């Protein structure tokens, strides 16, 4: 009888706590900067992992179950242990999802040119290929990861990039992986922007003439590109030139 009273008291506290935290998550009422919100979520997760009332309810429930007592027969019990455990684990799952979202916002702000949506995509893919779930990729995992994201780097180029961003231990953290993807995105954006600039100057989709270069650029710039670009048609092949500049 005493153990039933203990379960009733502690399980009510736990259930009320779950409902309160769930309401906050539903309303997305976590306040402050992303860093402050991340700290708040971490504190709640830490409480979930070592909550005294939850552990007491668990111990009491095990004794009640061992005694063959049905939770439906316990006066004042709001929920059974199975229901309470399910709600507790659902809250933890939602909090971990919230944490991933906030971490994506923090990482996006740090990366600058990578959107939060992209950061979340990169993080999900990174975790998928992190075989031992230690938060780091070895080269083979890195190679599979970037292929999964549609990156067409050759294995030799991928290995060179891995060495550039990896630690001395030969592993790459998500932070370093995000720096790599940010670098790749930056290069692609620059290439696309410059290509579009030449397209806007050229009447032909295949080449740009010396006259068009002179009309759109300074005399020195036009002369430089006329010498640097391979000849094509009645002008110069700006696409091949830019691919050599940005894709090599």
């Amino acid at each position: 009888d005493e153990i039933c009273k203990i379960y009733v008291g502690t399980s009510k506290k736990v259930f009320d706590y779950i409902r309160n935290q769930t309401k906050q998550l539903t309303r997305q009422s976590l306040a402050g900067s992303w860093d402050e919100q991340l700290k708040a979520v971490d504190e709640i997760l830490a409480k979930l992992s070592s909550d005294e009332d939850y552990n007491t309810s668990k111990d009491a429930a095990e004794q009640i179950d061992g005694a063959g007592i049905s939770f439906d027969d316990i006066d004042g019990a709001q929920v059974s242990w199975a229901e309470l455990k399910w709600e507790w684990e659902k809250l933890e799952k939602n909090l971990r999802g919230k944490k991933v979202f906030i971490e994506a916002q923090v990482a996006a702000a740090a990366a600058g040119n990578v959107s939060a949506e992209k950061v979340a995509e990169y993080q999900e893919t990174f975790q998928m290929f992190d075989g031992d779930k230690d938060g780091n990729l070895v080269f083979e995992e890195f190679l599979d990861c970037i292929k999964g994201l549609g990156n067409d780097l050759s294995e030799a180029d991928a290995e060179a990039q891995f060495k550039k961003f990896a630690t001395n231990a030969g592993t790459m953290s998500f932070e370093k992986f995000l720096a790599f993807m940010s670098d790749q995105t930056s290069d692609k954006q620059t290439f696309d922007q410059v290509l579009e600039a030449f397209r806007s100057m050229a009447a032909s989709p295949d080449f740009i003439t010396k006259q068009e270069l002179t009309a759109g650029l300074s005399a020195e710039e036009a002369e430089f590109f006329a010498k640097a670009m391979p000849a094509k048609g009645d002008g110069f092949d700006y696409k091949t030139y830019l691919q050599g500049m940005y894709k090599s």
Side-chain angles (χ1 to χ4, degrees), residues 14-54:
V14 172
F15 191 61
D16 288 346
Y17 177 78
I18 292 171
R19 286 192 299 183
N20 181 52
Q21 293 300 331
T22 301
K23 284 180 181 178
Q24 286 193 11
L25 286 174
T26 302
R27 296 170 181 170
Q28 296 191 352
S29 61
L30 292 173
S33 66
W34 291 121
D35 286 326
E36 290 169 337
Q37 290 186 43
L38 185 59
K39 181 180 178 182
V41 169
D42 280 336
E43 287 175 352
I44 299 172
L45 284 170
K47 175 177 172 57
L48 292 184
S49 68
S50 60
D51 185 74
E52 185 176 340
D53 287 327
Y54 179 80

Side-chain angles (χ1 to χ4, degrees), residues 23-24 36 81 128 135 142-143 145 156 177 191 197 199 209 248:
K23 284 180 181 178
Q24 286 193 11
E36 290 169 337
W81 168 246
M128 184 186 305
F142 168 74
L143 188 61
C145 187
F177 180 75
F191 170 79
R199 279 176 175 163
T209 66
S248 59

Side-chain angles (χ1 to χ4, degrees), residues 134-202:
D134 67 344
N136 293 283
L137 301 180
V138 296
F139 174 68
E140 290 76 14
E141 293 170 337
F142 168 74
L143 188 61
D144 290 339
C145 187
I146 62 174
K147 286 180 179 177
L149 288 167
N151 191 303
D152 58 357
L153 281 178
S154 68
E155 186 167 342
D157 288 340
E159 186 173 8
Q161 289 296 314
F162 183 80
K163 289 179 179 178
K164 176 181 176 182
F165 288 93
T167 65
N168 292 333
T171 61
M172 183 183 291
S173 66
F174 178 69
E175 181 181 1
K176 293 296 184 181
F177 180 75
L178 185 60
F180 159 77
M181 292 303 298
S182 176
D183 187 61
Q184 293 287 300
T185 303
S186 178
D187 284 347
K188 184 178 186 303
Q189 288 177 336
T190 304
F191 170 79
D192 290 343
Q193 290 165 358
V194 177
L195 179 63
E196 185 57 35
F198 276 104
R199 279 176 175 163
S200 67
M201 291 189 288

